[in-house]
């Protein structure tokens, strides 16, 4: 099962994990991203390209499902305005064994940072600025390239 959601409301971890665990897997790996308040961030506005964002996330989940023989892959990503401490993303993968679930989860979070069309704007001290892509995100994504 592949489940992709892009939403403005909060992420219900318990409900999402119950769906992943229902597949009877031997392992479930998760990553929950939380809006950081470091460097004085007061608000994070996340914009996306509807339709294209979901398609990009689905393509990544399909790739992970095939590559690691997953039973389930879920990506729930928020958009809109969020405050520090709020959940921004959930990635959950289910597989017969832990290594596959863990690797697939890491792959999905690394690749969605570079492959999904999201744009971040942070507000600090009342001033908003767009967040540039990070070299560290590109480096993390490239480790999953196939030879």
């Amino acid at each position: 099962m592949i489940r992709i959601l892009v939403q403005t409301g909060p992420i219900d971890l318990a409900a999402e994990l119950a769906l992943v665990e229902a597949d009877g897997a031997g392992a479930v790996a998760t990553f929950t991203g939380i809006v950081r308040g470091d460097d004085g961030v007061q608000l994070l506005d996340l914009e996306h390209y509807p339709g294209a964002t979901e398609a990009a996330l689905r393509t990544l989940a399909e790739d992970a499902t095939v590559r690691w023989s997953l039973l389930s892959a879920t990506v729930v990503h928020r958009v809109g305005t969020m405050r520090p401490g709020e959940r921004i993303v959930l990635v959950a993968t289910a597989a017969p064994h832990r290594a596959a679930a863990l690797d697939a989860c890491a792959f999905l979070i690394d690749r969605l940072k570079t492959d999904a069309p999201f744009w971040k704007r942070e507000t600090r001290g009342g001033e908003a600025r767009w967040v540039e892509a990070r070299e560290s995100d590109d480096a993390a994504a490239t480790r999953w390239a196939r030879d």
Side-chain angles (χ1 to χ4, degrees):
M1 171 187 81
I2 293 176
R3 181 169 166 78
I4 305 298
L5 293 172
V6 176
Q7 62 189 41
T8 57
I11 298 170
D12 185 342
L13 291 180
E16 295 301 332
L17 292 179
L19 291 172
V20 173
E21 292 172 355
D23 284 328
V28 173
T30 65
F31 172 85
T32 304
I34 299 170
V35 177
R36 294 186 314 268
D38 55 352
D39 297 328
V41 172
Q42 299 164 309
L43 295 174
L44 175 69
D45 290 299
L46 194 65
E47 295 184 9
H48 76 299
Y49 184 13
T53 303
E54 293 85 351
L57 295 174
R58 180 163 298 281
T59 296
L60 290 172
E62 289 169 350
D63 187 21
T65 298
V66 170
R67 192 168 174 177
W68 284 281
S69 300
L70 297 179
L71 302 172
S72 181
T74 294
V75 178
V76 181
H77 211 298
R78 293 210 32 214
V79 293
T81 302
M82 291 161 271
R83 298 186 180 286
E86 292 185 42
R87 294 180 191 115
I88 189 171
V89 63
L90 168 68
V91 173
T93 56
H97 302 284
R98 72 178 179 270
L102 289 166
D103 286 348
C105 187
F107 164 83
L108 285 170
I109 197 63
D110 285 346
R111 293 291 304 273
L112 77 80
K113 294 277 289 183
T114 58
D115 294 11
F118 289 108
W119 297 275
K120 292 181 182 180
R121 186 174 54 234
E122 295 176 340
T123 300
R124 291 185 176 101
E127 291 190 31
R129 70 170 181 84
W130 291 102
V131 177
E132 298 293 324
R134 295 186 173 124
E135 287 182 27
S136 60
D137 291 336
D138 290 333
T142 60
R143 77 180 176 128
W144 299 106
R146 295 184 194 210
D147 296 331

